[in-house]
Amino acid sequence: MAQRLADYPAQERALSWMGFDPEFSRALARQGWVGLTLPKQYGGHDATSFERFVVSEELLAAGAPVSAHWIADRQSAPLILRHGADSQKQRYLPAIAAGEMYFCIGMSEPDSGSDLASVRTRADRQSDGRWRLNGRKVWTTNADRCHAMIALVRTDPASERHAGLSQVIVDLDLPGVTIRPIRDISGHEHFNEVTFDDVILEADALVGTAGEGWAQATSELAFERSGPNGS
């Protein structure tokens, strides 16, 4: 990192985990420092959480631009490893470990505040097993630069609050996905509003079990909010 970041500008170092540099993320992966705790069969290194903790602290101390792979490495990959189908693990985890696939988080919604259980974005199962997605997410970090989103959605509108929620993987290049950057007070556009208008997801977009989205999302937030790389 000392070699790689020797001439890195101070204003870029200040962004640290919000600094987006795909080439740096790929170089970091070639060094073996992305997907550290993933199993080797998925391109990881079977390292301990403590080893990942050390690497994370050194990256942040150096002001490294890690935002491209950060969320995928921190929480999307562990979530898929824990709850995803074998096909999802094979498809996504090696690409994450290689620093080549980036995820964002689709939880927050307009007018919801901190009441995550009030999610209104809906994924309705179609007769052919696919899902029709409609709704809106907001404050979605790097949605305009990521390949996919793991979204918390309502799949059972008849169930109240927590019971009818599920998680789906959304390819952000699909028709019907609109991403609008939100400029913050510093002039940056890390946040985004993401709108889904009749977006069709394949049947295998569901992560884990339908109706278990609340439990899965709260376990995912443990990866996000704990450790040196939490928000």
Side-chain angles (χ1 to χ4, degrees):
M1 283 190 289
Q3 294 173 350
R4 186 88 185 189
L5 300 174
D7 299 320
Y8 208 62
Q11 63 268 28
E12 297 298 326
R13 288 178 186 264
L15 291 174
S16 189
W17 71 282
M18 294 302 289
F20 198 98
D21 186 339
E23 177 49 40
F24 182 84
S25 291
R26 289 190 290 266
L28 205 66
R30 290 193 295 271
Q31 190 71 23
W33 292 342
V34 178
L36 271 167
T37 59
L38 290 176
K40 290 182 179 179
Q41 70 184 96
Y42 299 122
H45 302 277
D46 282 320
T48 66
S49 295
F50 181 77
E51 288 172 294
R52 185 180 180 279
F53 182 99
V54 171
V55 171
S56 296
E57 283 212 320
E58 292 298 329
L59 286 166
L60 294 175
V66 295
S67 184
H69 70 273
W70 202 241
I71 291 172
D73 179 62
R74 179 183 70 190
Q75 64 196 92
S76 304
L79 177 78
I80 293 170
L81 182 64
R82 178 178 293 180
H83 299 289
D86 287 342
S87 59
Q88 292 172 334
K89 295 174 186 177
Q90 295 288 348
R91 177 179 179 183
Y92 297 113
L93 298 186
I96 291 173
E100 295 177 347
M101 189 164 195
Y102 316 136
F103 275 73
C104 59
I105 308 163
M107 291 190 187
S108 299
E109 294 192 358
D111 305 318
S112 290
S114 59
D115 184 10
L116 188 57
S118 67
V119 162
R120 289 178 292 181
T121 297
R122 285 179 52 170
D124 298 311
R125 193 186 291 272
Q126 308 298 290
S127 59
D128 60 1
R130 296 188 296 174
W131 303 88
R132 185 180 297 274
L133 182 64
N134 283 282
R136 189 158 49 129
K137 298 293 181 179
V138 74
W139 311 122
T140 310
T141 302
N142 289 336
D144 57 333
R145 296 173 168 182
C146 286
H147 304 99
M149 170 194 290
I150 295 182
L152 183 66
V153 300
R154 193 161 297 283
T155 51
D156 183 1
S159 296
E160 293 186 5
R161 309 275 299 167
H162 311 82
L165 298 174
S166 305
Q167 287 183 302
V168 292
I169 299 176
V170 184
D171 179 344
L172 294 176
D173 285 330
L174 285 173
V177 178
T178 302
I179 301 173
R180 183 181 67 84
I182 301 171
R183 180 169 295 181
D184 63 25
I185 195 170
S186 68
H188 294 108
E189 295 181 344
H190 305 301
F191 297 128
N192 295 267
E193 178 185 67
V194 184
T195 304
F196 309 110
D197 292 308
D198 288 331
V199 178
I200 300 300
L201 307 178
E202 296 301 321
D204 62 1
L206 180 70
V207 180
T209 304
E212 293 296 319
W214 180 260
Q216 293 176 194
T218 52
S219 69
E220 177 187 351
L221 285 171
F223 293 115
E224 176 181 350
R225 302 293 176 174
S226 62
N229 55 339
S231 299

